[in-house]
Amino acid sequence: MYYYPRAPSCTSAHPVGRATTGTSGVVLCQVGTYDRPGRPGSMVASQFALTLVTGVLLVVVAAWVARAEDWRSYAPFGTGGASSETRERQQAKPSGLVRWLTTVDHKDIGLLYGVYSVVVFGWAGFGVLVMRVELLAPGVDIISQSFYNALMTSHGLSMLILFGTPILAAFSNYFIPLLIGADDMAFPRVNAIAFWLLPPSAILVYAGFFLPAVPAAQTSWTMYAPLSIEQPSPAVDLMLLGLHLSGVSVTMGAINFIATIFTERAPDVSWADLDIFSWTVLTQSGLILFAFPLLGSALIMLLLDRNFGTTFFTVDGGGPVLWQHLFWFWGHPEVYILVLPAMGFVSLIIPRFSGRKLFGFKFVVYSTLAIGTLSFGVWAHHMFSTGMDPRIRASFMAVSLAIAVPTAVKTFNWITTMWNGQIRLATPMLFSIGFVSNLIIGGVTGVFLASIPIDLVLHDTYYVVGHFHYFLMGGTVFAVFAAVYYWFPLVSGRMYQRTLARWHFWLSMVGVNVTFFAMLLLGYLGMPRRYATYSVTVGPLELLTVLHQAATVGAVIITFAQIVWLYNMVTSWLEGPAADSDPWALGEDGLRSGEWEWFRRKRAIADGGEESEDSD
């Protein structure tokens, strides 16, 4: 039988939505569910059998991979990190499924990251849509409170870890070698391994939704102790292992990006000439190296607390607040891990559609480095209500306010770049402008939360949800779509349907602002976050219901917009008109960067009927 250290647990005396630690933001407890200290023997036996089967499967997969590598070993054309001996025995890429299972080409791996991320994005979006439909009315009408908690847990982890970082890695893998003139990533095989760790990690995180008789994890994405210690479901352990595996993947990728940018740049690409997107990815990778290993260590400690009787995060040990410190030391840099490359996209795209170079390039680079440095000094602004020393709390408030300065520098540089420019409102530019406007709203609302008196009032309300969704959904995801449309002709060789793309932008813009502005208002009314029901709340029930309904309508609009996007991408990839070698007319303004030069050479060789040495 597994032993769980005793700690304050959720009981029927406490409503759904709050645990009893007395700390800030401890999340949903299903009433009377998680106050048992042990597990039944049958559950232990089933978990042991599952572990045994998983071990056998891993051995079989490892043996197959070793055999497949001997059977068909190849390196991508012009691999920067490959030795001369490897280059001498290059073979043509295999076709079909074998190609995608064995590829080490940075472009193929970038596409794999992209497909994986879109699948996770769809899962996360479907889950949150179910949650929003449940919140149309105050009572419990469609799904149970426990299933609501499970969906909320998977949605947060999916968007932040399983989708956010990999979708950025998709662009980094595909385009950084092209932008810096490298043949490939510094470590192509490590690059492939980093991707193939992700699908198993997602399966582990979602295991509770698919395994019979195993309840899905209901810890929320913050996994606050003691709730995450006392939940008896094995799905929590599988989720923690999956998150640890994804952290290993992200860390491997970060090391690879740093090594590639440092060692694989072309001779004519100096640090002064390095593009802004590569600067942001370099800074992001540095953040990952400091943040994700710490998260992995905290997850291991949480697993030990759950299964081996240690007391890292129990009340009689290190304490639940220790988990919050470790989690948010990763959690807030993670916000900038997600938004810095997005800022790189926008800093790259806005000048191309303004007909001029980026205003204050050096200051944008310096502000990127400043954000990366300051991001590790603001984590405790998530914990102002935990009762920490007021002097320490004030220092975190000061740094949290200070980090708004380099973000404002970027914003003013983007606006100044567009000022008096020859602006072309193509879809990439529309999403970039949408990114800037949403980021301003997210940033200004964040300044209020950095102020201790205001945070104590608004903490753990829907105001916080609206704030960080403006920053991430209205910010990072908008920048990702700007990059998708900007580079779609290069990747596919075809043009997308412009009318559908504009519909996608405007529907997304309307949906995001309707949904998350309604959440800001809900927070002002005192609506707590993470609640599956709001029939008994501190605010006027009729007004809360109307705002929840508005947020749900906005979520439906966002969902429809993404369906339009997916249809546009698939149909355009299959039958869209061929793109010319300079689809955005960047050469006219002298703004064609390295990846477009690569595309131009590739198209020129293809038009001449010759085989390109660096083509797919």
Side-chain angles (χ1 to χ4, degrees):
M1 179 174 293
Y2 286 70
Y3 171 74
Y4 286 84
R6 297 299 296 164
S9 59
C10 300
T11 66
S12 57
H14 300 275
V16 173
R18 299 286 183 190
T20 60
T21 65
T23 60
S24 67
V26 177
V27 297
L28 294 175
C29 284
Q30 184 62 38
V31 173
T33 303
Y34 306 122
D35 53 1
R36 296 182 299 164
R39 295 180 179 173
S42 60
M43 185 174 294
V44 175
S46 62
Q47 187 175 4
F48 176 77
L50 179 63
T51 303
L52 183 62
V53 171
T54 305
V56 173
L57 179 61
L58 288 175
V59 171
V60 171
V61 170
W64 182 86
V65 169
R67 183 175 180 182
E69 185 169 334
D70 294 335
W71 166 54
R72 187 185 292 275
S73 178
Y74 73 95
F77 292 109
T79 300
S83 64
S84 58
E85 179 182 355
T86 303
R87 291 193 182 101
E88 288 176 0
R89 58 187 180 88
Q90 280 181 359
Q91 299 179 14
K93 287 185 181 180
S95 60
L97 184 61
V98 174
R99 168 190 175 180
W100 297 104
L101 292 176
T102 61
T103 183
V104 292
D105 187 339
H106 70 99
K107 297 185 289 297
D108 289 348
I109 293 173
L111 292 175
L112 288 172
Y113 268 107
V115 172
Y116 162 83
S117 301
V118 169
V119 172
V120 173
F121 186 61
W123 166 265
F126 173 77
V128 79
L129 187 62
V130 174
M131 293 163 58
R132 289 303 328 163
V133 172
E134 169 60 40
L135 292 170
L136 278 170
V140 179
D141 302 309
I142 299 174
I143 59 176
S144 66
Q145 295 168 336
S146 60
F147 190 64
Y148 181 96
N149 299 345
L151 287 177
M152 181 187 61
T153 301
S154 69
H155 172 74
L157 294 174
S158 296
M159 293 299 291
L160 281 172
I161 298 179
L162 300 179
F163 163 77
T165 312
I167 190 61
L168 298 171
F171 293 95
S172 303
N173 269 282
Y174 200 107
F175 294 107
I176 281 185
L178 302 180
L179 285 165
I180 67 175
D183 295 328
D184 205 305
M185 298 290 289
F187 307 112
R189 293 185 184 276
V190 173
N191 199 28
I193 293 171
F195 168 75
W196 287 111
L197 291 177
L198 288 177
S201 71
I203 292 172
L204 289 170
V205 171
Y206 301 143
F209 290 97
F210 310 113
L211 293 177
V214 177
Q218 301 175 42
T219 62
S220 181
W221 67 276
T222 53
M223 298 169 283
Y224 279 163
L227 177 61
S228 56
I229 298 174
E230 296 207 342
Q231 282 195 19
S233 174
V236 179
D237 299 303
L238 296 176
M239 178 187 73
L240 297 176
L241 290 171
L243 295 176
H244 190 72
L245 195 61
S246 69
V248 173
S249 166
V250 172
T251 305
M252 293 172 67
I255 294 171
N256 211 352
F257 289 130
I258 292 173
T260 300
I261 294 173
F262 267 84
T263 66
E264 298 295 317
R265 298 195 315 275
D268 59 336
V269 181
S270 64
W271 287 111
D273 298 323
L274 188 65
D275 65 278
I276 189 61
F277 176 60
S278 297
W279 273 112
T280 57
V281 171
L282 183 62
T283 307
Q284 177 210 39
S285 300
L287 298 183
I288 288 172
L289 287 187
F290 284 97
F292 270 88
L294 181 114
L295 175 66
S297 301
L299 292 173
I300 293 298
M301 287 189 277
L302 188 56
L303 281 167
L304 293 175
D305 276 9
R306 285 181 53 81
N307 296 286
F308 293 99
T310 57
T311 57
F312 291 107
F313 306 123
T314 59
V315 172
D316 53 345
V321 175
L322 175 61
W323 168 263
Q324 294 194 38
H325 278 293
L326 295 177
F327 179 84
W328 288 117
F329 189 83
W330 162 84
H332 204 83
E334 169 66 4
V335 173
Y336 295 102
I337 287 170
L338 296 179
V339 83
L340 280 176
M343 291 176 171
F345 291 148
V346 172
S347 300
L348 195 71
I349 292 171
I350 284 180
R352 268 71 180 168
F353 292 91
S354 299
R356 58 195 303 184
K357 293 182 179 180
L358 178 65
F359 178 83
F361 178 89
K362 289 184 179 180
F363 290 97
V364 176
V365 172
Y366 295 152
S367 65
T368 298
L369 299 175
I371 289 173
T373 303
L374 292 173
S375 66
F376 284 102
V378 300
W379 79 87
H381 70 222
H382 296 272
M383 303 169 57
F384 284 159
S385 60
T386 59
M388 67 173 64
D389 189 306
R391 293 166 295 182
I392 298 176
R393 196 166 59 177
S395 67
F396 278 105
M397 181 181 74
V399 180
S400 299
L401 293 171
I403 203 171
V405 174
T407 305
V409 169
K410 290 179 178 293
T411 303
F412 284 117
N413 281 340
W414 294 327
I415 295 173
T416 308
T417 301
M418 291 185 285
W419 192 266
N420 286 334
Q422 298 177 352
I423 295 178
R424 294 178 291 156
L425 292 178
T427 306
M429 187 63 165
L430 289 175
F431 270 101
S432 296
I433 296 173
F435 167 90
V436 175
S437 60
N438 291 332
L439 192 73
I440 291 173
I441 299 175
V444 170
T445 53
V447 169
F448 286 101
L449 291 175
S451 176
I452 295 170
I454 300 175
D455 180 79
L456 293 176
V457 175
L458 296 176
H459 183 76
D460 230 15
T461 68
Y462 261 83
Y463 182 91
V464 181
V465 182
H467 153 67
F468 71 72
H469 276 85
Y470 261 112
F471 214 80
L472 296 178
M473 181 65 193
T476 298
V477 175
F478 266 54
V480 165
F481 283 129
V484 167
Y485 285 114
Y486 177 63
W487 279 313
F488 182 82
L490 185 149
V491 175
S492 67
R494 299 178 181 274
M495 287 300 297
Y496 54 81
Q497 301 181 50
R498 290 179 172 85
T499 301
L500 289 180
R502 292 176 183 274
W503 273 102
H504 175 219
F505 167 74
W506 288 111
L507 288 172
S508 297
M509 195 68 178
V510 170
V512 162
N513 282 277
V514 169
T515 300
F516 303 128
F517 198 81
M519 290 184 181
L520 294 176
L521 297 178
L522 284 166
Y524 280 126
L525 293 172
M527 175 68 204
R529 62 194 289 197
R530 305 187 179 109
Y531 271 44
T533 176
Y534 50 100
S535 55
V536 180
T537 60
V538 296
L541 185 60
E542 295 79 6
L543 184 55
L544 291 177
T545 302
V546 170
L547 290 174
H548 271 296
Q549 291 172 346
T552 301
V553 170
V556 172
I557 295 173
I558 294 173
T559 303
F560 180 71
Q562 310 326 307
I563 294 174
V564 171
W565 169 79
L566 186 61
Y567 173 81
N568 192 2
M569 293 296 100
V570 173
T571 56
S572 299
W573 188 290
L574 296 176
E575 54 188 28
D580 60 38
S581 59
D582 190 9
W584 304 119
L586 302 179
E588 297 178 3
D589 300 311
L591 297 173
R592 188 160 51 199
S593 49
E595 82 279 22
W596 290 109
E597 288 292 339
W598 171 85
F599 182 62
R600 183 186 61 78
R601 294 194 304 269
K602 177 181 175 181
R603 288 300 304 268
I605 294 174
D607 293 341
E610 302 177 14
E611 183 178 357
S612 172
E613 293 185 357
D614 58 353
S615 67
D616 290 338

